Amino acid sequence: MVTLLLDSSRLEVALSATERTLAFRKDAVRVERAHIAKVQLVDDPWTWLRGVPNPGTVIPRTVAMGVWRSAGGDDFVLVRRRRPSVVIDLEGDPEFQRLVLTTRHGLALVQALRLEGEDEPVNVVQLVTTEIPVQGGDAATPSPARTSRRRAPRPAQA
């Protein structure tokens, strides 16, 4: 699982050792926050891949990691199966035109990008859960007690 770190000036995609190996990359992907033009949540990231892996690893419909080169520019791809993903379009970034990342924290990233950034890098999930209030019921009214469900006894067998 990819780890997304966000501070006031940049987004960092921290890669595990396996991800670095399969993506043929030595360090994390760092993008200036000002270069992020658009962020989209997608259900099928495979439709967003363009070009060919160079360098990168691809096993169709299973894993795609690395740099995808196309006529429009280079994209960094980290896709696993058909899991929810985030597509980040970049403008003015010297290295990539787009990031396609499989992460279950895509909604947290979108919400975190709307917030004012921290000075120190913070995990996107931690930033969102501490900054955005969770809607809930009125604290003055107690929640209804859960009733336990009992199973009917099984009939005796001869």
Side-chain angles (χ1 to χ4, degrees):
M1 177 62 70
V2 66
T3 302
L4 302 173
L5 303 172
L6 183 67
D7 65 11
S8 62
S9 63
R10 69 179 175 184
L11 170 68
E12 181 176 334
V13 181
L15 305 172
S16 68
T18 303
E19 291 167 342
R20 284 193 309 270
T21 302
L22 292 175
F24 296 95
R25 190 160 180 93
K26 294 180 182 176
D27 56 351
V29 175
R30 293 176 184 86
V31 174
E32 294 298 319
R33 197 170 177 166
H35 294 163
I36 297 174
K38 182 170 50 170
V39 180
Q40 302 176 61
L41 301 176
V42 296
D43 288 330
D44 186 11
W46 293 93
T47 59
W48 290 89
L49 299 185
R50 58 185 182 181
V52 294
N54 186 15
T57 302
V58 63
I59 301 171
R61 300 291 179 197
T62 304
V63 69
M65 294 185 190
V67 176
W68 256 239
R69 296 189 191 273
S70 69
D74 293 347
D75 299 344
F76 182 77
V77 174
L78 196 98
V79 173
R80 291 193 177 123
R81 302 201 189 283
R82 285 185 173 229
R83 296 184 179 160
S85 300
V86 62
V87 176
I88 303 170
D89 289 320
L90 307 172
E91 287 182 5
D93 189 70
E95 193 173 9
F96 299 116
Q97 297 295 315
R98 178 186 287 170
L99 304 176
V100 182
L101 309 169
T102 297
T103 179
R104 61 181 149 196
H105 304 299
L107 183 59
L109 174 64
V110 172
Q111 291 173 342
L113 285 170
R114 291 182 184 165
L115 300 173
E116 291 299 319
E118 300 283 330
D119 292 334
E120 293 295 318
V122 178
N123 191 330
V124 169
V125 177
Q126 294 172 353
L127 181 67
V128 172
T129 56
T130 58
E131 294 292 328
I132 296 178
V134 177
Q135 291 182 343
D138 188 12
T141 60
S143 61
R146 290 186 65 170
T147 59
S148 62
R149 299 171 92 188
R150 301 187 104 191
R151 297 181 105 187
R154 298 177 106 188
Q157 294 182 5

